[in-house]
Amino acid sequence: MAHLWGSGFFLFFIFATTNPCFGCLEHERQALTQFKNSLTSDPSNRLSSWTGNNCCQWLGVGCHNATRRVTRLDLRTDAEQLQGSELSTSLSELTHLSYLDLSGNYFGGGPIPEFIGLMTRLEFLNLSSVGFSGVVTHQIGKLSSLRVLDLGDHQGGSLELIVDDFVWVSGLLSLEYLDLSRVNVSGARDFDKVLWNLFEGEFPLFLQNLTSLRVLDLSANKLNSSIPVMNNVVEINLASNRFSGIQETEAWRLCELKQLDLSFNYMEGPLTMSSACSRYGLERLILNDNKLSGEIPATLERLTSLRGLYLDYNMLTGTIPESLGNLTSLTELVLSGNQLMGPIPTSLGNRAVLRRLDLSENVLNGSIPFSIGRLPNLEILYLSFNSLSSIPFSIGNLSELKFLDLSSNLLQGPLPDSIGQLSKLQFLDISNNSLSSVVTEAHFANTSALIHLAATSNHFLNLKISPNWKPPFQIRNVLLGSCKIESEFPPWIQTQKNLAILILSNTSLYGALPDWLHGLPVIAILDLSHNFLNGPLTNLPFNKTTNTTKLVKPSMTFIERLADYERVSRLLLLKNNLFNGSIPDSLCNTADLVILDLSRNMLSGNLPDCFGNFSDLMVLILSSNRLSGTIPTSLGKLGSSIQWLHLNNNSFHGELPETLSNCTSLDVLDLGENRFSGTIPKWIGEKIKYLVVLRLHNNNFTGQIPEQLCQNTDLQIMDFGENNLTGEIPRCFENIRGMTGGDSNLYFFGGFEQSVIQVMRGVPLEYTTIMRYVVNLDLSSNNLVGEIPKELTSLSGLLGLNLSNNHLTGRIPDKIGDLGSLMSLDLSANDLSGMIPQSMSSLSFISHLNLSYNNLSGRIPTGNQLQTLVDPWIYAGNNGLCGSPLPKSCSRNETSPENMDKDDDDDDVERIWIYAIASGFSTGFIGFVGILVLIKRWRLAFFKFWRFM
């Protein structure tokens, strides 16, 4: 009987330990359930499987096969966090837990809980980027079985963990990996136990006892002392500390070290290498983003085990030493972002194991060596931003090549068609060169893996592709701007179902958009500008359907290389073509457009009412078309997203809808060359506070200039020329800081061509790349009256001031010379009188001046830049003016403005007294003479006045 009971118990045990349906221990299941219930957020519903009795089958939970004890809890994330107000103490019930990874989640921002120290079987503990703060609990030191401890912050959070001393670390006798990156250790007690050799003496005991430690990560701290010798440690990460030079680290004593990372320390001085070791075990040396200078030492060839050398973004000079070719184990060589010159060493072609070669952003010259084709394992070749001159045919031998970037060099001659044999090539960039060959299907014969093709700005590169060609690839990005295609829209594009970027600008495309283009999925960035395309826009790919073809997930290297191409999610750029007809409503299907530029076409009709549905639109440019009607009120729905709005040079009419006041983030508002009417709205100044460019040129606006515009203190360009404005120029313009010089608040972001037209030097000029530096005030050709406010002379950043063709009276402000940056000044066709202020000769940069057709008189001032303005038309129509460059000479009685400007305010007062005394001469002569005798200034003023009379 006992035998039967024993057999039965044995069978029950076998069933319980092998049947996954039997479940885990009940108290551990409850502990996990309590942990789940303590969470306040699980946005991705990751713990939805945490139901039922068998917790061993729950996501992230692992159990021992025999005992069914929970031994593993892995809830790490790089995306959506689990969140709770604190880390539940119920986890302490998992007494057999050996692996705990909660990295990337968030548990309230408090300190690491003390109960962690009770989980004594832990071998792996990862609490990185969890948002814990405060002092690291010393209880962790009780985890004597711990092999991996990661408390670092790999996401750059705002909360901070602090180590107050390192005594507790001495208990971690099995520790092999320690990551304390971005943990604050600078305030710890016993500094010698934290910063090692900051104080001279014995190496700190607590680290000497960690005989199992193999990986040490103390990055993102404030360490600056020498690195001690730790014989068992094979990897040290000290990136983003405060080491001042490579020699001060004494890194060359670490003979057995396999990986050393001293990046982002801004170390200065030469990269010198001592001879402390007869042999080095170093496999990866990471010194990027410092300030190391001088030449790359040939002694680096002593690092015979080196597999990765990263010296990018330093200040290294000289040539690349041929001795680097002797590093037979080298798989990655990164020297980008330095000032290296000369040719690429041919010896680099001897390294058959080399997988990554990055020499970009230097000043290397000469041909790319033929030997580069002898690298059968090369996957990444970056040579961009140098002065290299030609591509060898041998480049087609790189059978493993995935990334090839030769952009921004001085490459000439043909593009070898051997590139078409690179069957694994994903990324090809040859843009910004002077290649001059014909590109045919042979250049892409076997490029079935190609995802990104960039050849922009090769003006002599001619693409002659058969209309029947079927590419071997499904490409994602095509950038061929400023190459020669010289055909109708390329038919091969219709075979591509994964297109995200298509840039065919300035390629001499002509004809209408093909019907099949409408059937393609929406292309995120589509640039067809500067061509000869015509017809309606109805065939654009506005299809709401998205591509369902599964793309291979790109590698991190690929993502990094495309960072510049994917800043903006949706762009549609059709500028400078011959498109006609109305803007189709189907355009609004692409509701997530960020930049839309349809300028310089022949589009007509009204603006679609659905434009207000573009919730993400930042830039809308519709200038230079034949659009008409009123601005729809729905445009105000663009709200705070819209920053650039160009509707200029069309035939819009009516008043500006008040709903535009919702566009509170506008930087540029250009409504010039239309037929808008009514008064300039006050809400422009009251609601749109960040305007830098306000252009209403050549419309039918009436009424006075509202003083509320003085609240637009960032304005650099205010152009109200050629309207019907009346009243005086507001004196509060002196409050516009954007016209006083200093940094511009006009920020450019890539993706479109910024431009504004301004009348400067008497002619309309289009400003593009230097637009942010233009400061101009144009109120010309209106019906403004009154004097020129002297307050305008405080706008010292003005490059242009145009007040011509108004009815302004009075004198030119005496301090006009304070506008020291002025290059263009036009005050013509007004009723200004008096003398030209001598201060005008202080305008050192003035190159265009027009004071014609006023009532100015007296001698024309001379000196400095005015001497170069010799055209008499500058002063035409002022009969009272004399002196060069006019043919009329000044008589001896003509007064120099130099004297008239001195003490001008005092002279005005004195002249009033003189008039008063003279009118009562018969009764006040004695008193008057007495004043002249006693006060010398008045005596001089009287004689000056008498001469002027």
Side-chain angles (χ1 to χ4, degrees):
M1 190 68 168
H3 176 73
L4 292 174
W5 271 104
S7 300
F9 180 79
F10 176 75
L11 292 172
F12 175 79
F13 177 79
I14 294 297
F15 175 80
T17 57
T18 58
N19 185 359
C21 299
F22 185 76
C24 58
L25 299 183
E26 177 61 21
H27 77 280
E28 292 189 339
R29 186 191 68 82
Q30 291 180 5
L32 290 171
T33 301
Q34 290 176 29
F35 167 75
K36 176 185 176 182
N37 293 337
S38 72
L39 299 176
T40 58
S41 175
D42 180 9
S44 60
N45 210 21
R46 277 196 289 154
L47 303 189
S48 60
S49 67
W50 284 30
T51 58
N53 292 326
N54 190 2
C55 64
C56 296
Q57 293 185 341
W58 293 356
L59 179 70
V61 179
C63 297
H64 191 275
N65 287 335
T67 66
R68 311 307 294 165
R69 291 272 193 175
V70 175
T71 60
R72 182 184 181 94
L73 183 59
D74 185 356
L75 298 176
R76 67 181 183 274
T77 182
D78 294 323
E80 294 180 309
Q81 301 174 318
L82 299 174
Q83 295 186 9
S85 58
E86 61 180 2
L87 187 60
S88 174
T89 58
S90 64
L91 292 183
S92 64
E93 300 293 326
L94 307 177
T95 55
H96 285 66
L97 203 64
S98 62
Y99 187 105
L100 177 60
D101 190 343
L102 301 175
S103 58
N105 294 290
Y106 181 77
F107 298 101
I112 298 173
E114 299 272 333
F115 72 77
I116 292 291
L118 302 177
M119 309 171 80
T120 55
R121 300 197 184 196
L122 275 177
E123 298 178 10
F124 183 102
L125 178 59
N126 188 349
L127 301 178
S128 63
S129 304
V130 174
F132 286 131
S133 63
V135 176
V136 175
T137 174
H138 297 182
Q139 299 298 316
I140 293 179
K142 296 179 180 181
L143 306 178
S144 58
S145 300
L146 205 61
R147 293 183 297 106
V148 173
L149 175 60
D150 190 346
L151 302 179
D153 179 8
H154 308 304
Q155 298 177 355
S158 59
L159 300 176
E160 184 178 54
L161 273 176
I162 300 170
V163 173
D164 63 343
D165 72 53
F166 267 119
V167 175
W168 56 270
V169 181
S170 61
L172 305 178
L173 301 180
S174 302
L175 197 64
E176 297 178 8
Y177 180 95
L178 176 63
D179 188 341
L180 297 178
S181 55
R182 291 190 174 88
V183 175
N184 185 355
V185 301
S186 62
R189 295 191 299 272
D190 302 324
F191 248 42
D192 59 317
K193 297 180 180 179
V194 179
L195 300 182
W196 308 335
N197 292 338
L198 180 63
F199 299 108
E200 294 183 4
E202 185 180 357
F203 180 69
L205 181 63
F206 78 94
L207 281 176
Q208 286 180 327
N209 291 339
L210 300 179
T211 56
S212 299
L213 190 64
R214 296 183 62 79
V215 178
L216 178 62
D217 188 339
L218 293 176
S219 58
N221 279 289
K222 302 176 182 179
L223 304 178
N224 61 11
S225 65
S226 61
I227 304 171
V229 176
M230 292 176 286
N231 292 326
N232 295 318
V233 175
V234 295
E235 293 184 17
I236 299 179
N237 186 351
L238 298 173
S240 301
N241 276 278
R242 294 185 177 180
F243 297 102
S244 59
I246 190 70
Q247 287 298 98
E248 284 73 11
T249 66
E250 300 189 27
W252 304 121
R253 300 180 303 159
L254 309 176
C255 305
E256 302 301 323
L257 194 66
K258 293 185 181 297
Q259 178 169 314
L260 175 62
D261 189 344
L262 290 169
S263 60
F264 293 96
N265 274 280
Y266 303 101
M267 295 185 295
E268 298 181 346
L271 175 57
T272 55
M273 181 178 176
S274 63
S275 303
C277 305
S278 59
R279 179 188 173 279
Y280 286 95
L282 202 62
E283 296 179 358
R284 286 168 62 87
L285 179 59
I286 306 171
L287 300 176
N288 59 281
D289 292 273
N290 284 288
K291 296 182 180 180
L292 298 173
S293 58
E295 298 186 355
I296 299 174
T299 52
L300 285 179
E301 66 178 340
R302 297 185 56 215
L303 303 177
T304 54
S305 300
L306 202 63
R307 299 176 59 190
L309 177 59
Y310 310 89
L311 302 178
D312 43 314
Y313 297 100
N314 280 282
M315 302 169 65
L316 299 170
T317 57
T319 59
I320 300 173
E322 291 276 354
S323 59
L324 291 184
N326 299 329
L327 298 174
T328 56
S329 301
L330 199 64
T331 61
E332 296 196 356
L333 177 60
V334 182
L335 305 178
S336 56
N338 284 286
Q339 301 166 30
L340 301 171
M341 59 184 67
I344 298 173
T346 57
S347 63
L348 292 181
N350 301 330
R351 301 283 59 82
V353 297
L354 198 64
R355 292 188 299 105
R356 179 183 182 186
L357 178 60
D358 187 350
L359 307 179
S360 58
E361 297 181 57
N362 282 286
V363 285
L364 301 172
N365 55 34
S367 300
I368 300 171
F370 188 86
S371 63
I372 214 80
R374 297 199 297 264
L375 298 173
N377 294 298
L378 194 66
E379 297 179 4
I380 300 171
L381 179 58
Y382 294 153
L383 302 177
S384 58
F385 292 94
N386 280 288
S387 299
L388 301 171
S389 57
S390 64
I391 306 172
F393 188 83
S394 63
I395 205 163
N397 298 332
L398 302 176
S399 57
E400 297 296 317
L401 197 64
K402 297 179 180 178
F403 303 93
L404 177 58
D405 190 348
L406 306 178
S407 62
S408 300
N409 276 281
L410 302 176
L411 297 174
Q412 297 180 338
L415 176 68
D417 59 10
S418 61
I419 284 181
Q421 303 307 311
L422 302 178
S423 60
K424 295 185 179 180
L425 191 65
Q426 299 179 32
F427 181 102
L428 174 60
D429 193 343
I430 55 172
S431 57
N432 298 308
N433 281 289
S434 299
L435 296 169
S436 56
S437 61
V438 173
V439 176
T440 66
E441 300 93 320
H443 288 84
F444 306 102
N446 295 316
T447 57
S448 57
L450 195 62
I451 299 175
H452 178 91
L453 170 63
T456 55
S457 297
N458 281 279
H459 298 279
F460 307 106
L461 202 64
N462 201 334
L463 278 77
K464 295 294 184 182
I465 305 294
S466 167
N468 300 318
W469 180 52
K470 290 184 171 49
F473 48 71
Q474 279 295 316
I475 203 163
R476 174 180 168 83
N477 304 324
V478 178
L479 297 89
L480 300 177
S482 297
C483 295
K484 290 183 179 180
I485 296 180
E486 297 177 334
S487 71
E488 295 185 320
F489 206 87
W492 65 267
I493 296 292
Q494 67 182 307
T495 68
Q496 304 302 301
K497 307 303 181 184
N498 300 328
L499 276 173
I501 301 176
L502 180 59
I503 298 179
L504 301 178
S505 58
N506 193 28
T507 54
S508 298
L509 292 177
Y510 56 83
L513 297 178
D515 293 339
W516 52 259
L517 186 61
H518 180 66
L520 292 180
V522 171
I523 299 172
I525 299 176
L526 179 59
D527 185 355
L528 305 178
S529 55
H530 303 289
N531 282 295
F532 305 99
L533 297 168
N534 57 36
L537 300 180
T538 50
N539 283 336
L540 283 169
F542 297 143
N543 195 337
K544 284 186 177 181
T545 61
T546 56
N547 172 45
T548 57
T549 303
K550 186 175 181 180
L551 285 172
V552 177
K553 184 178 180 180
S555 67
M556 181 57 65
T557 307
F558 187 71
I559 293 172
E560 290 173 354
R561 215 61 187 173
L562 292 182
D564 290 339
Y565 298 104
E566 298 185 347
R567 293 179 189 169
V568 182
S569 57
R570 287 288 166 90
L571 280 69
L572 179 58
L573 310 175
L574 304 179
K575 177 179 183 177
N576 197 18
N577 277 283
L578 303 171
F579 291 116
N580 54 40
S582 61
I583 300 175
D585 288 340
S586 57
L587 180 62
C588 299
N589 290 343
T590 54
D592 55 351
L593 267 177
V594 174
I595 297 176
L596 175 59
D597 188 347
L598 305 180
S599 61
R600 299 188 182 181
N601 280 283
M602 297 187 291
L603 300 171
S604 58
N606 297 339
L607 283 185
D609 197 57
C610 62
F611 266 26
N613 298 335
F614 289 127
S615 58
D616 298 324
L617 196 66
M618 298 172 65
V619 176
L620 177 59
I621 306 178
L622 303 176
S623 52
S624 299
N625 278 284
R626 300 172 181 176
L627 299 170
S628 58
T630 59
I631 297 180
T633 58
S634 61
L635 204 62
K637 294 181 181 179
L638 296 175
S640 59
S641 66
I642 190 73
Q643 297 180 26
W644 292 61
L645 179 58
H646 290 256
L647 303 179
N648 54 296
N649 198 19
N650 281 286
S651 298
F652 293 114
H653 65 268
E655 298 187 4
L656 303 184
E658 190 171 356
T659 55
L660 283 182
S661 64
N662 296 325
C663 303
T664 54
S665 297
L666 274 173
D667 291 326
V668 176
L669 178 60
D670 190 346
L671 305 177
E673 293 86 29
N674 280 286
R675 292 186 286 115
F676 290 116
S677 58
T679 59
I680 297 175
K682 297 178 180 179
W683 47 257
I684 293 180
E686 294 170 340
K687 299 290 185 65
I688 308 177
K689 299 292 187 180
Y690 305 110
L691 266 181
V692 180
V693 176
L694 176 57
R695 186 170 182 273
L696 307 178
H697 193 93
N698 193 6
N699 277 282
N700 296 319
F701 287 107
T702 57
Q704 297 185 351
I705 300 174
E707 292 195 355
Q708 286 80 1
L709 295 182
C710 299
Q711 300 177 37
N712 297 118
T713 56
D714 291 335
L715 274 176
Q716 287 179 213
I717 295 177
M718 182 191 291
D719 186 350
F720 298 163
E722 297 189 48
N723 279 280
N724 297 308
L725 300 174
T726 57
E728 298 185 351
I729 300 173
R731 297 184 179 274
C732 62
F733 277 3
E734 64 179 341
N735 298 326
I736 302 177
R737 295 191 304 270
M739 295 185 179
T740 59
D743 294 334
S744 171
N745 286 319
L746 188 63
Y747 298 106
F748 291 125
F749 39 88
F752 73 105
E753 301 173 22
Q754 299 92 352
S755 68
V756 67
I757 295 175
Q758 286 293 275
V759 176
M760 298 276 277
R761 301 184 179 92
V763 293
L765 301 174
E766 183 175 13
Y767 293 91
T768 55
T769 56
I770 64 170
M771 176 179 167
R772 72 189 310 265
Y773 303 109
V774 177
V775 184
N776 189 40
L777 177 59
D778 188 345
L779 305 178
S780 62
S781 301
N782 281 283
N783 296 307
L784 300 174
V785 298
E787 297 185 347
I788 299 174
K790 65 180 181 180
E791 288 80 3
L792 291 188
T793 61
S794 66
L795 304 179
S796 55
L798 280 177
L799 302 181
L801 176 60
N802 190 349
L803 306 179
S804 63
N805 291 290
N806 279 287
H807 305 292
L808 300 174
T809 57
R811 299 179 58 182
I812 298 173
D814 294 313
K815 295 184 178 181
I816 194 73
D818 289 354
L819 299 178
S821 303
L822 209 60
M823 301 171 63
S824 177
L825 175 62
D826 192 343
L827 305 178
S828 62
N830 279 286
D831 296 315
L832 300 174
S833 58
M835 304 188 70
I836 302 173
Q838 180 63 32
S839 69
M840 195 171 287
S841 63
S842 301
L843 300 177
S844 302
F845 300 102
I846 194 77
S847 59
H848 175 78
L849 177 64
N850 191 350
L851 303 179
S852 62
Y853 298 100
N854 280 284
N855 296 313
L856 300 172
S857 59
R859 186 186 299 273
I860 295 172
T862 58
N864 300 326
Q865 187 70 6
L866 287 183
Q867 298 293 100
T868 66
L869 305 178
V870 296
D871 187 348
W873 283 102
I874 294 173
Y875 308 102
N878 291 279
N879 296 329
L881 286 177
C882 61
S884 178
L886 294 177
K888 179 182 177 182
S889 299
C890 297
S891 65
R892 291 182 59 187
N893 294 328
E894 295 289 349
T895 306
S896 170
E898 182 177 5
N899 294 326
M900 288 297 294
D901 286 341
K902 291 181 180 178
D903 299 320
D904 183 67
D905 293 337
D906 291 338
D907 286 351
D908 288 342
V909 175
E910 291 164 0
R911 188 176 292 114
I912 292 172
W913 274 93
I914 292 170
Y915 273 118
I917 294 171
S919 65
F921 180 80
S922 59
T923 59
F925 176 75
I926 297 176
F928 171 61
V929 171
I931 291 175
L932 295 182
V933 171
L934 294 174
I935 302 178
K936 181 179 180 181
R937 285 181 61 203
W938 286 30
R939 185 166 65 250
L940 294 174
F942 170 74
F943 288 116
K944 181 166 58 177
F945 166 75
W946 187 257
R947 288 180 59 193
F948 180 73
M949 293 295 291

